């Protein structure tokens, strides 16, 4: 039995369950949810899969639905600072008391299961079941549900029906698990599409991925929703964007052209929900997009120097980040603090960012045995940047960057989300100390 007297204990228990817990499949999450009374069956979902933009798109949709007056659950991963970030209702993270109480209940259910030899419930499966319980208790009208990895065998795919299935841009990532080609990865992610659901496929999708998603839609009788794609850009800068879509003006606080693409996906998803009978006034969509925030997505922590955190960690994400750097930071001296994990395309990511850096600080994130050695990151950066510092930890790299950067410079912390979470803690702690 799990001791949940101390809030952190439940989180330690969940994380001790491990990332992978047996053969790929949904049999464990089906069994666990059944033991808990299938709480997901009483909920309605917007289910989101893809390689990039899932979190931001989910955040925008949830924010707009909340502005429309609905009680909205939001399930995302991973977290940056606190585990609780993954499970939210109307923007508020799950309280310690509810997390501990429900973790105890899920742990008891796990003990009752008869699973194949050598298999157990993993951390993501456990957390997903816990989230379903919480959303059901909170009587959520809609849950915006982000997949963790892939789609076909992702624990979130235990849901039987969805209002809208959303596929954000797909690229090569997690190839050891999902496949070597974009088409193979798309097939895994398109497996979240449910019969009779509306399907929104993001713009900017590779043609081979788009074709796979369309075929999956046709195969199960889902409804392909195209909607309006054109918009008129008014501004796009470090303070966010403004654009006109279907005659209505919108603003986004999250900077970068890639966020405009995510906004289009979100707005089309809202339109698909309207066609299914959900009342979402245009003004609610306007308020929702304006209020939407996502940690670690060109997140601004300071002005002098400008400090930005961005969790781009694959080739497509780094490409979007580089476009934003080229457009918005070309007049600033750029200090890059970067660390990566081994199961990402870290070579191309480091080289692309290092090409734009005036100064580069290599470090290793706290990611167990997955972190790429800081010496390896520094050696890659030296191929493109003339001033590279080999720092062991995020604390050392940030300290050196802060001492070196001028008031008008920019410090960009990027790479692994583990690093972004570390940097957020370190920098906010420094801000409190300074105050």
């Amino acid at each position: 039995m799990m001791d949940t007297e101390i809030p952190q204990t439940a989180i330690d228990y969940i994380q001790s369950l491990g990332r992978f817990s047996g053969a790929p499949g949904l049999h464990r999450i089906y069994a666990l949810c059944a033991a808990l009374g299938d709480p997901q069956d009483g909920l309605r979902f917007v289910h989101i899969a893809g390689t990039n933009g899932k979190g931001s798109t989910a955040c925008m949709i949830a924010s707009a639905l909340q502005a429309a007056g609905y009680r909205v659950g939001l399930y995302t991963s991973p977290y940056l600072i606190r585990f609780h970030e993954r499970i939210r209702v109307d923007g508020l993270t799950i309280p310690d008391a509810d997390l501990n109480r429900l973790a105890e209940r899920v742990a008891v259910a796990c003990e009752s299961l008869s699973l194949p030899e050598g298999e157990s419930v993993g951390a993501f499966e456990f957390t997903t079941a816990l989230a379903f319980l919480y959303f059901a208790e909170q009587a959520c009208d809609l849950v915006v549900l982000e997949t963790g990895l892939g789609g076909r065998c992702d624990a979130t795919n235990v849901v039987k029906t969805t209002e809208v299935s959303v596929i954000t841009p797909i690229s090569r990532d997690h190839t050891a698990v999902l496949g070597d080609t974009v088409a193979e990865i798309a097939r895994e992610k398109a497996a979240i599409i449910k019969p009779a659901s509306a399907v929104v496929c993001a713009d900017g999708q590779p043609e081979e991925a788009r074709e796979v998603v369309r075929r999956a839609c046709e195969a199960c009788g889902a409804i392909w929703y195209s909607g309006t794609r054109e918009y008129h850009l008014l501004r796009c800068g470090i303070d966010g964007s403004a654009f006109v879509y279907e005659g209505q003006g919108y603003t986004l606080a999250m900077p970068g052209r890639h966020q405009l693409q995510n906004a289009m996906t979100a707005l089309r998803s809202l339109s698909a929900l309207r066609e299914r009978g959900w009342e979402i006034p245009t003004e609610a969509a306007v308020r929702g997009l304006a209020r939407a925030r996502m940690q670690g997505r060109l997140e601004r922590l300071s002005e002098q120097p400008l400090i930005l955190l961005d969790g781009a960690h694959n080739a497509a994400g780094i490409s979007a980040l580089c476009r934003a750097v080229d457009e918005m930071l070309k007049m600033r001296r750029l200090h890059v603090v970067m660390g990566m994990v081994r199961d990402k395309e870290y070579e191309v990511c480091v080289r692309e960012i290092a090409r734009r850096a005036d100064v580069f600080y290599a470090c290793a994130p706290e990611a167990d045995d997955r972190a790429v050695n800081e010496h390896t990151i520094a050696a890659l950066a030296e191929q493109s940047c003339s001033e590279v510092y080999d720092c062991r930890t995020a604390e050392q790299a940030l300290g050196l960057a802060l001492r070196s950067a001028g008031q008008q410079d920019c410090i960009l912390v990027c790479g692994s989300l583990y690093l972004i979470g570390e940097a957020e803690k370190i920098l906010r702690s420094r801000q409190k100390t300074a105050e």
Side-chain angles (χ1 to χ4, degrees), residues 16-199:
S16 74
L17 298 175
R19 211 168 160 226
F20 300 108
S21 53
L26 297 176
H27 54 287
R28 289 178 298 275
I29 188 67
Y30 273 127
L32 178 56
C33 285
L36 294 167
D38 285 317
Q40 75 282 3
D41 288 351
L43 297 166
R44 301 170 83 174
F45 297 96
V46 174
H47 201 182
I48 304 179
T51 306
N52 291 294
K54 296 194 302 293
S56 296
T57 303
C59 180
M60 292 177 193
I61 293 171
S63 182
L65 290 172
Q66 185 182 343
Y70 293 108
R71 189 158 179 77
V72 183
L74 177 61
Y75 184 59
T76 59
S77 62
Y79 67 93
L80 290 183
I81 306 299
R82 298 180 75 231
F83 181 90
H84 308 61
E85 297 165 21
R86 300 176 64 171
I87 304 169
R88 299 173 186 257
V89 172
D90 286 350
L92 301 177
T93 58
I94 183 172
D96 285 331
D98 290 316
L99 176 63
N100 294 326
R101 174 178 55 81
L102 294 175
E104 182 79 38
R105 184 174 167 189
V106 177
V108 169
C110 287
E111 292 174 1
S112 72
L113 304 182
S114 297
L115 298 176
E117 186 176 352
E119 293 196 5
S120 60
V121 170
F124 188 74
E125 292 162 331
F126 189 106
T127 306
T128 301
L130 189 157
F132 289 148
L133 284 173
Y134 184 62
F135 294 143
E137 282 188 354
Q138 293 293 308
C140 290
D141 299 306
L142 263 172
V143 173
V144 182
L145 187 67
E146 180 191 345
T147 59
L149 175 62
R152 183 184 308 279
C153 296
D154 189 83
T156 62
N157 207 26
V158 70
V159 303
K160 294 176 182 176
T161 61
T162 59
E163 294 293 302
V164 183
S165 302
V166 183
I167 308 295
T168 67
I170 294 169
S171 61
R172 294 181 76 252
D173 198 8
H174 298 292
T175 53
V177 179
L178 302 180
D180 291 325
T181 69
V182 167
E184 288 175 329
I185 294 169
R187 276 190 285 275
E188 289 297 313
K189 295 181 184 292
I192 71 163
I193 295 172
K194 301 295 188 293
S197 72
V199 176

Side-chain angles (χ1 to χ4, degrees), residues 328-345:
M328 298 185 293
L329 302 174
K330 59 187 175 183
M331 301 303 292
R332 293 178 185 260
R333 182 170 170 81
L334 184 63
H335 300 252
V336 172
V337 175
M338 191 171 192
M340 296 285 292
V341 292
R342 281 197 307 274
D343 54 357
K344 302 296 179 181
E345 299 170 304

Side-chain angles (χ1 to χ4, degrees), residues 109-412:
C110 287
E111 292 174 1
S112 72
L113 304 182
S114 297
L115 298 176
E117 186 176 352
E119 293 196 5
S120 60
V121 170
F124 188 74
E125 292 162 331
F126 189 106
T127 306
T128 301
L130 189 157
F132 289 148
L133 284 173
Y134 184 62
F135 294 143
E137 282 188 354
Q138 293 293 308
C140 290
D141 299 306
L142 263 172
V143 173
V144 182
L145 187 67
E146 180 191 345
T147 59
L149 175 62
R152 183 184 308 279
C153 296
D154 189 83
T156 62
N157 207 26
V158 70
V159 303
K160 294 176 182 176
T161 61
T162 59
E163 294 293 302
V164 183
S165 302
V166 183
I167 308 295
T168 67
I170 294 169
S171 61
R172 294 181 76 252
D173 198 8
H174 298 292
T175 53
V177 179
L178 302 180
D180 291 325
T181 69
V182 167
E184 288 175 329
I185 294 169
R187 276 190 285 275
E188 289 297 313
K189 295 181 184 292
I192 71 163
I193 295 172
K194 301 295 188 293
S197 72
V199 176
V200 173
C201 187
D203 295 336
Q205 201 73 261
E207 187 53 41
E208 61 267 43
R210 190 176 187 82
E211 184 57 31
V212 166
V213 174
R214 187 178 283 279
R215 286 200 302 268
C217 179
E218 293 171 351
C220 71
I223 303 157
W224 182 274
Y225 184 84
S226 55
T228 306
R229 288 180 166 78
E230 299 300 319
Y231 67 92
H232 175 61
L233 181 63
L234 300 176
R235 64 173 173 84
C236 182
I238 199 65
D239 295 318
S241 305
F243 61 95
V244 176
Y245 176 74
E246 293 189 327
Q248 175 64 54
Y250 293 87
T251 60
L252 282 178
M254 293 187 280
R257 286 184 183 270
H258 56 291
Q259 294 295 1
L260 289 164
Q261 179 173 282
N262 294 333
M264 291 303 104
T265 306
L267 287 170
R268 286 166 52 211
S269 300
L270 295 171
S271 294
L273 284 168
R274 289 189 190 100
E275 291 205 355
R276 297 176 70 86
W278 295 87
E279 294 184 9
I280 308 168
T282 299
E283 56 268 27
V286 172
R287 291 198 309 275
L289 262 63
R291 293 173 181 171
R293 301 287 189 281
M294 195 73 182
Q295 286 181 295
R297 273 67 168 183
L298 277 177
E299 180 186 4
R300 183 164 47 182
L301 288 191
S302 172
E303 295 295 340
Q304 292 185 329
L306 177 64
I307 300 178
L308 300 173
L309 308 183
D310 194 272
H313 54 262
N314 56 39
I318 287 291
S319 178
L321 175 58
C322 287
R323 286 196 301 273
V325 168
D326 292 343
E327 287 184 353
M328 298 185 293
L329 302 174
K330 59 187 175 183
M331 301 303 292
R332 293 178 185 260
R333 182 170 170 81
L334 184 63
H335 300 252
V336 172
V337 175
M338 191 171 192
M340 296 285 292
V341 292
R342 281 197 307 274
D343 54 357
K344 302 296 179 181
E345 299 170 304
Y346 64 86
E347 295 98 336
V348 65
C349 292
V350 172
R351 289 192 188 105
E352 282 300 304
I353 286 292
R355 282 178 50 212
R356 292 159 169 85
D358 294 289
V359 192
F360 191 102
Y361 310 83
C363 61
E366 294 179 356
D368 302 320
D369 58 351
R370 296 172 62 203
V372 179
N373 186 284
E374 66 272 16
H375 308 311
T376 302
I377 298 293
L380 288 167
E382 285 170 350
Q383 298 174 19
S384 307
C385 180
S386 60
E387 189 174 349
V388 176
Y389 294 94
D390 189 339
C391 306
R392 188 171 61 85
T393 66
E395 182 87 51
Q396 292 174 343
L398 286 166
L400 182 55
L402 287 165
R403 290 192 297 272
S404 304
Q407 292 292 290
Q408 299 307 311
D409 293 355
C410 175
I411 298 173
L412 172 64

